Amino acid sequence: MKNNTLIHLGLALLRIIPSAFMLTHGYPKLMNLINGNTEFANPFGIGQAPTLFLAVVGEFICPLLMIIGFKTRWAAIPTAITMFVAGFIIHGADPFGRKEMALLYLAIFVVIMLLGPGKYSVDKK
């Protein structure tokens, strides 16, 4: 296997696995939104429903796009922003162990933004 192939395989795994894990956080939020249950944190004062909608975009829609590798760098931005908000605003006063997962996701999605999807993606870059 050529080194280049391993790099692209690594990029695919880096984008697919964390994005699939992120879906487990976004799917319940999507179901709440569909069912009309919009009780959600409102850290910026824009309302619970709009904040929930933005969280669904960042935790469900964009990870789906990253899994298939479509507009991956752009799709990583809302997810990274969502994880930034979760880590530094929602869990800002919590102990490190409580915000650690959000910060790990943030780091992963920033790396995806920087490196792109690799050749094993719809974008093939």
Side-chain angles (χ1 to χ4, degrees):
M1 213 184 266
K2 291 174 62 175
N3 190 28
N4 207 19
T5 302
L6 287 175
I7 290 170
H8 289 289
L9 181 60
L11 288 172
L13 292 173
L14 179 69
R15 97 172 182 270
I16 293 168
I17 294 170
S19 295
F21 290 170
M22 183 59 65
L23 292 177
T24 66
H25 298 278
Y27 183 75
K29 292 175 180 76
L30 175 66
M31 290 297 102
N32 284 342
L33 187 63
I34 289 171
N35 294 327
N37 179 8
T38 59
E39 286 186 33
F40 198 68
N42 185 19
F44 300 112
I46 62 172
Q48 291 180 331
T51 304
L52 177 59
F53 174 78
L54 292 173
V56 167
V57 169
E59 294 183 12
F60 190 80
I61 305 299
C62 290
L64 283 176
L65 294 174
M66 284 186 278
I67 287 170
I68 64 171
F70 182 71
K71 301 294 182 190
T72 304
R73 288 182 176 188
W74 288 104
I77 295 171
T79 307
I81 291 170
T82 303
M83 292 301 98
F84 180 89
V85 171
F88 291 109
I89 297 174
I90 301 299
H91 297 293
D94 293 346
F96 180 75
R98 182 74 175 117
K99 58 182 137 190
E100 180 180 12
M101 187 65 68
L103 298 178
L104 283 171
Y105 276 123
L106 171 62
I108 290 167
F109 292 114
V110 167
V111 170
I112 292 169
M113 281 184 335
L114 295 173
L115 298 179
K119 74 177 183 179
Y120 303 123
S121 67
V122 172
D123 289 342
K124 294 183 180 161
K125 293 182 180 179

